[in-house]
Amino acid sequence: MKTRVRYRLLALCMAVLLICPLISVSAFAEEGDASSDIQYENTENGAHTQDAESDAAEPDAADSLVVKIPVTKKIDYHPTGSTKVESTFTFQIAPGSDDAKAKLPEKTTLDITTDQEKTDYFEITFTEAGTYCYQVNEIAGTEKGFSYNNGYFRIWIEIVQDDAGNLVVDEENSFYGMPTDRYPLFTEEGLVFINHYYNCDPVTIKIPVEKKIVPAKEGGEMPKEDGTFTLTIEQMNSGADALDHSPEETSVVLKTASSDMGEFGPMTFYAAGIYVFSIKETAGSDSAYEYDETVHSIDVLVSFNEAQGVLQVDHVLDYHEGSPEGDPLFLSEGTDPIQDVTTLSVQFTNKYTASEDPKDESKDEDPKDESKVED
């Protein structure tokens, strides 16, 4: 008899917990990574739990479950103590893997407006048990001075039915993570995206380029007149923002019969980050030349000098087929190791394939006097 009483008391306690309108689930995160503070509540027949005054009969089990996934935006200012700037940041949620059930919210983007820190939520309604995987990321903006977070987070949510038939979150099997690291889904913070704002002047650079002409064969002739060669530049990544940091003129025309120099720029950067550009030659139509097909990938590393309160270019590296580790085009003083390198150029070499007109071999032979030919 005592055992039955205990079980009935236990069942009563569980029933009280099941009808609790809101349960909080959270995820752990390191600073700058992600965490998840997921709130969920049972709904009935696609609607929120009915009020106590409703005359409708309460069903035995909820037909759906609403899960709220918080996203937190934080802003770090440089220099520290700079005047705060309010801005709007946009996030999006998408299926995290091809085999996951893509139960997406009605609104797959989320706008957060803040000048320091604020949290808002994606709301997802689940109608059946299963494992659901999502990816959340920030969409880079174009406001000058901000570096936007280009990382993303994956969340796995396990929805199960409890003994009463209600849909609930299986907390032990619900977690968030990066591609290689996973964390339990139970802390107070949400998915934290940290942006940086640089309250200082932008930094500008110019990238020098060089065209060289060489004979196709050693000792061969060189052109007597200038040829015309076109080089182009294109930004390949978003860097710290969605601005295009390519120069106003994205092509350089060089005319030479031996060598010539030019440059792309100025190129302006408003926030710290790694910016990648592609420089290549546009093949011409002059059959006397073999055009250079090398594609140069140029990495520009911009950082913030806390001591001086300025943005600076730490290095510009030229990656290409002949230099997989990158040729330094420029290194600023203060890099580690300190290396004062003279600015070098992105080089393109064309081969001059034209040759002299083939000789008329008949002129080299002794002329034959047909009149002296013996019978």
Side-chain angles (χ1 to χ4, degrees):
M1 179 65 70
K2 292 182 178 179
T3 301
R4 290 183 179 177
V5 172
R6 291 194 186 98
Y7 281 135
R8 288 177 178 174
L9 289 174
L10 179 60
L12 180 61
C13 291
M14 292 180 64
V16 171
L17 290 174
L18 289 172
I19 63 173
C20 182
L22 185 64
I23 302 174
S24 177
V25 182
S26 57
F28 170 76
E30 296 179 350
E31 183 178 2
D33 289 341
S35 62
S36 193
D37 184 14
I38 300 181
Q39 297 178 336
Y40 62 91
E41 58 186 60
N42 288 326
T43 62
E44 299 163 357
N45 301 321
H48 290 285
T49 304
Q50 299 177 21
D51 296 333
E53 298 178 355
S54 173
D55 295 330
E58 184 175 348
D60 294 334
D63 296 325
S64 61
L65 181 70
V66 176
V67 176
K68 296 182 178 180
I69 304 175
V71 176
T72 298
K73 167 55 60 183
K74 294 182 179 180
I75 303 174
D76 282 351
Y77 288 90
H78 307 276
T80 303
S82 297
T83 302
K84 294 180 179 179
V85 177
E86 185 177 82
S87 185
T88 299
F89 307 91
T90 302
F91 304 87
Q92 65 182 2
I93 188 169
S97 59
D98 294 336
D99 59 349
K101 298 179 181 179
K103 194 69 177 180
L104 291 172
E106 292 184 4
K107 187 177 180 181
T108 57
T109 59
L110 180 68
D111 290 337
I112 297 179
T113 301
T114 183
D115 63 359
Q116 186 66 64
E117 179 178 344
K118 187 178 179 181
T119 301
D120 206 341
Y121 301 85
F122 284 111
E123 292 190 6
I124 305 176
T125 301
F126 297 96
T127 57
E128 60 180 330
T131 300
Y132 300 86
C133 180
Y134 301 94
Q135 178 173 304
V136 178
N137 66 279
E138 180 176 5
I139 300 174
T142 57
E143 186 163 351
K144 295 178 180 179
F146 279 101
S147 67
Y148 295 84
N149 195 308
N150 58 9
Y152 66 89
F153 301 101
R154 284 192 175 181
I155 300 172
W156 283 262
I157 300 177
E158 184 79 14
I159 303 298
V160 298
Q161 282 189 328
D162 62 12
D163 294 340
N166 293 305
L167 294 177
V168 296
V169 173
D170 181 350
E171 298 177 351
E172 291 186 1
N173 294 305
S174 298
F175 54 89
Y176 84 93
M178 297 293 283
T180 56
D181 301 307
R182 297 179 177 182
Y183 303 95
L185 200 57
F186 304 111
T187 64
E188 294 182 357
E189 281 199 289
L191 299 177
V192 179
F193 290 83
I194 297 178
N195 288 25
H196 299 266
Y197 181 77
Y198 300 91
N199 187 18
C200 59
D201 292 333
V203 62
T204 61
I205 64 167
K206 295 180 180 179
I207 298 180
V209 291
E210 182 176 4
K211 167 60 64 180
K212 291 184 177 180
I213 309 298
V214 298
K217 296 182 179 180
E218 185 176 355
E221 67 172 310
M222 291 286 286
K224 297 179 175 59
E225 296 181 355
D226 288 346
T228 301
F229 309 94
T230 302
L231 306 179
T232 61
I233 188 171
E234 180 183 4
Q235 184 168 323
M236 304 305 294
N237 75 334
S238 60
D241 49 46
L243 295 168
D244 188 353
H245 300 274
S246 301
E248 184 176 349
E249 296 294 333
T250 57
S251 62
V252 170
V253 177
L254 303 176
K255 295 183 178 182
T256 183
S258 56
S259 65
D260 192 16
M261 296 284 295
E263 63 184 14
F264 288 106
M267 301 162 64
T268 304
F269 305 93
Y270 303 90
I274 299 176
Y275 302 84
V276 181
F277 301 86
S278 174
I279 299 179
K280 59 185 177 181
E281 179 176 13
T282 301
S285 58
D286 193 336
S287 60
Y289 293 96
E290 288 183 7
Y291 292 89
D292 195 331
E293 297 181 350
T294 304
V295 177
H296 295 258
S297 180
I298 310 299
D299 281 16
V300 180
L301 174 61
V302 177
S303 68
F304 182 74
N305 187 317
E306 295 285 352
Q308 299 181 20
V310 298
L311 289 168
Q312 65 182 24
V313 176
D314 286 337
H315 69 229
V316 181
L317 295 178
D318 176 11
Y319 293 90
H320 53 89
E321 184 177 357
S323 180
E325 296 183 358
D327 293 329
L329 300 180
F330 166 79
L331 289 175
S332 69
E333 294 183 1
T335 57
D336 188 15
I338 297 176
Q339 195 172 1
D340 188 10
V341 177
T342 303
T343 302
L344 304 176
S345 60
V346 179
Q347 297 186 357
F348 291 85
T349 301
N350 288 24
K351 293 181 179 180
Y352 183 66
T353 59
S355 60
E356 297 179 0
D357 295 332
K359 295 181 179 180
D360 185 355
E361 295 181 356
S362 64
K363 295 181 180 180
D364 296 334
E365 298 177 357
D366 294 330
K368 294 181 180 180
D369 188 353
E370 295 180 357
S371 63
K372 294 183 180 182
V373 177
E374 297 180 359
D375 296 332

